[in-house]
Amino acid sequence: MSKPVLKRSVKVKDISYGRHISIVTPDKFWVSDWNNLTLTDNSGETLKKVTDKAATGGVHAVSNNGKLTYIDTKGDIKIQTNSKTMVIFRRKASFRPTCLHRCASSGDILLGMRFLKNNTYTGIVFRCDRNEEKIIPIRSDQKSKILFGDPKYLAKNCNGDTIISDYTFNAVVVVDSRGTYRFSYIGPPSGSGLRQRLQPEGICTDALSHILVVDTLTDTVQMIDKDGHFLSFLLTKPGRIHELYGLAYDHKTHLLYVGHGSSECTDIVSVYRYIDRQNYILTDT
């Protein structure tokens, strides 16, 4: 790997900061803040807009054929095509969807939810197919310890692991393809130069199975390996940028998209390259 090189910055219209990013093609991506969700190109022009997006973290994703999947304000899951929008999952009783991720190989949806029990939020993650059959419910580890309370972002790694960014426990939680708990990352080790506590936002994985997470306490993008070992601070308040939020890695172009606010509140998405071409590997997340 090399030091991240800024390839371009995009001044997105109708968005105040880049909370979450879903890449459609190398020249188009969906980006959202708290209230808005827009399809934009590399010039920042708004190509399409969604007005009923849920106000939370990673609530949208894109399938292999470019269709947008998102959680709406009611907690239903919708797919948007060129001609229409249809509901594919209905919110269930006290369960509130908080985030989702589309699996590239199967088209299945990883869906993060929370529910209130005894005045405490508990999180759960389902892997769902189009028939609404729930596969691998993930709620606790082998010792029945609750893993997360409020999942806000989801990602899939090249080795089949599911990665969850959780607000309640301030951790990145990782489970394997069977739903078995592997580890939790709660911040860099002592001696790293920054505080150990973590307040995670956006997450993604790259072509080398690294896990990348935004820490809003330190405005850094931290990199760990697939087994949870801290590797580096990939980005540390780059340039005039502050308030880092969303992350997305394009496995076709091997570029990292970073959503943020800036001192002038204009540049919303920055695009970086940090993996040398000879290190590219085929991935399927």
Side-chain angles (χ1 to χ4, degrees):
M1 296 190 304
S2 60
K3 182 179 179 180
V5 176
L6 179 65
K7 305 301 291 185
R8 62 179 177 268
S9 292
V10 183
K11 300 179 180 180
V12 183
K13 294 182 179 179
D14 304 316
I15 295 290
S16 59
Y17 60 93
R19 188 174 180 85
H20 186 52
I21 303 164
S22 296
I23 300 168
V24 182
T25 61
D27 62 343
K28 294 178 184 177
F29 57 90
W30 289 93
V31 58
S32 61
D33 56 20
W34 191 260
N35 299 309
N36 308 292
L37 171 58
T38 66
L39 177 65
T40 187
D41 59 19
N42 288 333
S43 69
E45 291 296 324
T46 297
L47 306 177
K48 194 180 292 186
K49 191 180 292 188
V50 171
T51 58
D52 62 339
K53 176 195 75 74
T56 182
V59 298
H60 54 88
V62 173
S63 64
N64 281 340
N65 57 10
K67 293 180 181 178
L68 173 71
T69 306
Y70 69 98
I71 304 172
D72 71 6
T73 53
K74 296 179 180 179
D76 296 334
I77 313 300
K78 292 181 176 179
I79 284 185
Q80 185 179 87
T81 64
N82 291 331
S83 59
K84 62 180 180 179
T85 300
M86 60 182 181
V87 176
I88 58 171
F89 298 111
R90 296 283 184 185
R91 177 184 174 182
K92 302 294 185 181
S94 60
F95 285 82
R96 178 76 185 186
T98 56
C99 54
L100 60 82
H101 176 80
R102 292 298 299 255
C103 301
S105 58
S106 63
D108 290 351
I109 299 173
L110 289 173
L111 182 60
M113 297 188 183
R114 71 177 185 182
F115 64 96
L116 187 63
K117 184 177 181 180
N118 298 326
N119 296 320
T120 302
Y121 279 116
T122 299
I124 187 169
V125 174
F126 291 111
R127 185 185 179 108
C128 310
D129 63 17
R130 286 177 175 266
N131 296 320
E132 203 173 352
E133 179 183 355
K134 295 178 174 60
I135 311 168
I136 315 177
I138 305 162
R139 184 180 297 172
S140 60
D141 64 8
Q142 295 90 327
K143 297 180 180 179
S144 297
K145 178 183 177 182
I146 299 299
L147 295 179
F148 33 82
D150 193 3
K152 284 300 178 68
Y153 292 88
L154 286 167
K156 193 78 172 171
N157 212 345
C158 304
N159 62 354
D161 285 351
T162 297
I163 299 100
I164 303 103
S165 176
D166 185 72
Y167 277 15
T168 298
F169 297 120
N170 290 322
V172 174
V173 183
V174 177
V175 299
D176 65 18
S177 59
R178 297 169 296 178
T180 303
Y181 173 72
R182 291 198 61 219
F183 63 85
S184 294
Y185 174 73
I186 57 173
S190 59
S192 60
L194 287 175
R195 68 181 77 189
Q196 291 177 261
R197 182 186 171 198
L198 186 75
Q199 188 170 303
E201 277 275 348
I203 54 173
C204 69
T205 62
D206 66 18
L208 301 178
S209 297
H210 300 135
I211 300 170
L212 309 180
V213 55
V214 167
D215 174 30
T216 57
L217 285 178
T218 57
D219 270 342
T220 60
V221 175
Q222 299 178 19
M223 175 186 288
I224 62 177
D225 67 15
K226 62 183 176 60
D227 298 314
H229 302 116
F230 173 82
L231 297 177
S232 69
F233 297 105
L234 185 65
L235 295 172
T236 306
K237 291 186 178 181
R240 293 177 292 107
I241 295 171
H242 67 89
E243 297 181 352
L244 303 176
Y245 294 104
L247 288 179
Y249 185 86
D250 188 345
H251 285 264
K252 295 178 180 178
T253 62
H254 300 279
L255 294 174
L256 177 68
Y257 288 63
V258 182
H260 54 80
S262 73
S263 58
E264 299 175 355
C265 295
T266 53
D267 296 338
I268 303 303
V269 176
S270 297
V271 182
Y272 294 88
R273 184 183 300 282
Y274 65 93
I275 297 180
D276 297 331
R277 290 183 180 276
Q278 60 265 30
N279 288 331
Y280 288 176
I281 59 174
L282 294 176
T283 62
D284 186 6
T285 56

